[in-house]
C-alpha cells in the first residue's frame, strides 16, 4: 500500500493544481437554483443532532460484497482558459471503460465542470448506469487548511452548493442526486451546519485510490484492491490532466474485484442499505 504521506501529498498536489490558474470570482452572485432534490426520491441519511447535515463514509459491512466507485469531476471556474487551450479535465475513455465493463458509478461534479463540459454532463446525467451528485460550484474548500485550496466563506457555502445544482440542471442533468462531496473531503461542524436544511447527505469515502497525479497505474490498483472491504466507497477522479492513470486502474481493478465476489453499486444503493 502507498504510504499515508504519499497519499496526502498527492491530494495536496491535486488541490494546488485545481487552483493554479488563479482565483475564481467569488464576488459573482449565485445563479438562481431550483430546490435541492427531494430526499423522498432517493435514499438519504437522517439529519444529525440539531438538523446537522449527515455524513456517509461506507455501507454495511455484513450485507454482501458490494463496493461503490465514485469519481470526482472537478475544476474551478478560472480553469476554463486552460481547458480551452487543450488541457483535459474530462476523461471520455474512463467513462467508455465503465460502460464496457458495465460498472455503475456515482460522479460528483462541480458546477464549473458541468458548465465547461455540458454535453458530457448531460450524457452522464441521462445514463441510468450513473448518478450525478454535487461537488460544489467553485471547488473551494469548506474549511481552512484543506490541501492548499482557497476557502468559501461560511455565509456563501449554501449558495455555492445551490449554484452547483443550478449548473447541473442547466447542463441537462435531469435529476442530480441529493448527495454532496466536500472539495478535498474537508469539513467541520460549521460546514455541516451551513448546509443544514438542504436535504443533502455529505458523502465521503473509506478507500483513497491515490490516483491524483499518479503515474504508476499498478500501484494505484494495488492500493484500491488492498483497501476495499464490503460496503466500501472508493474515491477516484475523472480528470485526465490530474489523474491520467484512472482508466487503466479501472480496467485492472474491476475484473479482480469481481473475481473476489464483489458487486458494483452506486452510492444510493449503499445509503439505502444503511438506512434499513
Amino acid at each position: 500500500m502507498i504510504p499515508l504521506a504519499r497519499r496526502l501529498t498527492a491530494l495536496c498536489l491535486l488541490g494546488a493544481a485545481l487552483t493554479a490558474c488563479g482565483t475564481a470570482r467569488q464576488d459573482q452572485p449565485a445563479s438562481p437554483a431550483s430546490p435541492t432534490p427531494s430526499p423522498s426520491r432517493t435514499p438519504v441519511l437522517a439529519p444529525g443532532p440539531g438538523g446537522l447535515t449527515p455524513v456517509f463514509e461506507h455501507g454495511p459491512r455484513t450485507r454482501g460484497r458490494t463496493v461503490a466507485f465514485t469519481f470526482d469531476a472537478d475544476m474551478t471556474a478560472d480553469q476554463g482558459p486552460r481547458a480551452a487551450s487543450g488541457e483535459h479535465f474530462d476523461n471520455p475513455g474512463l467513462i467508455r471503460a465503465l460502460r464496457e465493463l458495465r460498472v455503475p458509478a456515482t460522479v460528483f461534479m462541480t458546477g464549473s465542470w458541468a458548465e465547461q463540459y455540458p454535453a458530457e454532463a448531460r450524457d452522464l446525467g441521462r445514463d441510468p448506469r450513473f448518478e450525478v451528485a454535487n461537488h460544489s460550484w467553485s471547488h473551494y474548500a469548506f474549511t481552512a487548511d484543506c490541501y492548499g485550496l482557497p476557502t468559501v466563506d461560511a455565509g456563501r457555502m449554501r449558495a455555492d452548493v445551490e449554484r452547483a445544482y443550478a449548473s447541473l440542471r442547466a447542463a441537462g442533468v435531469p435529476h442530480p442526486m441529493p448527495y454532496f462531496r466536500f472539495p478535498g473531503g474537508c469539513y467541520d461542524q460549521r460546514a455541516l451546519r451551513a448546509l443544514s436544511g438542504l436535504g443533502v447527505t455529505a458523502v465521503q469515502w473509506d478507500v483513497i485510490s491515490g490516483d491524483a497525479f499518479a503515474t504508476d497505474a499498478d500501484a494505484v490498483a494495488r492500493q484500491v484492491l488492498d483497501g476495499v472491504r464490503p460496503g466500501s466507497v472508493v474515491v477516484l477522479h475523472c480528470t485526465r490532466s490530474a489523474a491520467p492513470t484512472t482508466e487503466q486502474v479501472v480496467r485492472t481493478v474491476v475484473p479482480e474485484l469481481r473475481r473476489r465476489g464483489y458487486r458494483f453499486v452506486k452510492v444510493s444503493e449503499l445509503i439505502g442499505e444503511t438506512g434499513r
Side-chain angles (χ1 to χ4, degrees):
M1 178 179 291
I2 297 176
L4 176 61
R6 286 182 58 191
R7 284 182 273 159
L8 292 178
T9 299
L11 285 172
C12 184
L13 287 171
L14 177 60
L18 290 173
T19 58
C21 191
T23 303
R25 294 164 292 180
Q26 287 296 294
D27 56 344
Q28 288 184 340
S31 301
S34 53
T36 302
S38 168
S40 64
R41 296 181 181 178
T42 193
V44 293
L45 297 184
L52 213 62
T53 300
V55 180
F56 176 77
E57 294 183 353
H58 61 78
R61 302 297 193 189
T62 58
R63 295 189 179 177
R65 294 191 174 190
T66 54
V67 58
F69 274 14
T70 67
F71 297 88
D72 291 354
D74 44 36
M75 64 180 293
T76 64
D78 283 355
Q79 288 177 325
R82 286 168 56 178
S85 67
E87 185 170 350
H88 296 289
F89 295 91
D90 62 342
N91 195 338
L94 168 64
I95 302 305
R96 183 166 55 251
L98 292 170
R99 285 171 169 150
E100 290 173 358
L101 294 167
R102 299 184 179 182
V103 176
T106 304
V107 179
F108 288 88
M109 191 180 295
T110 64
S112 51
W113 194 98
E115 291 172 9
Q116 181 66 45
Y117 302 104
E120 293 182 50
R122 181 173 60 254
D123 182 51
L124 287 168
R126 295 182 179 182
D127 186 335
R129 191 173 302 281
F130 303 106
E131 56 189 15
V132 174
N134 193 315
H135 194 30
S136 82
W137 183 83
S138 64
H139 201 262
Y140 276 20
F142 283 52
T143 67
D145 301 322
C146 181
Y147 306 116
L149 290 170
T151 58
V152 177
D153 292 337
R156 295 187 57 84
M157 291 177 182
R158 184 186 184 101
D160 196 81
V161 175
E162 291 175 333
R163 184 175 181 181
Y165 274 120
S167 295
L168 294 177
R169 289 193 176 91
V173 178
H175 303 295
M177 303 295 281
Y179 305 145
F180 175 71
R181 173 162 287 168
F182 287 100
C186 303
Y187 69 93
D188 55 18
Q189 292 294 298
R190 183 182 69 164
L192 295 177
R193 194 176 305 112
L195 303 186
S196 295
L198 279 177
V200 299
T201 294
V203 176
Q204 295 289 100
W205 56 81
D206 66 315
V207 179
I208 299 174
S209 69
D211 66 339
F213 287 97
T215 57
D216 186 342
D218 290 338
V220 177
R222 285 195 301 272
Q223 181 154 308
V224 173
L225 292 171
D226 287 346
V228 167
R229 298 170 58 194
S232 278
V233 175
V234 183
V235 59
L236 300 119
H237 297 82
C238 55
T239 47
R240 270 181 287 174
S241 61
T245 66
T246 309
E247 178 187 347
Q248 185 178 344
V249 170
V250 165
R251 291 187 181 276
T252 299
V253 167
V254 167
E256 176 58 22
L257 285 176
R258 281 183 170 144
R259 188 189 69 79
R260 297 181 185 184
Y262 279 91
R263 179 173 64 90
F264 292 91
V265 299
K266 292 177 273 193
V267 163
S268 57
E269 182 168 335
L270 290 184
I271 293 179
E273 291 177 350
T274 301
R276 292 176 188 170

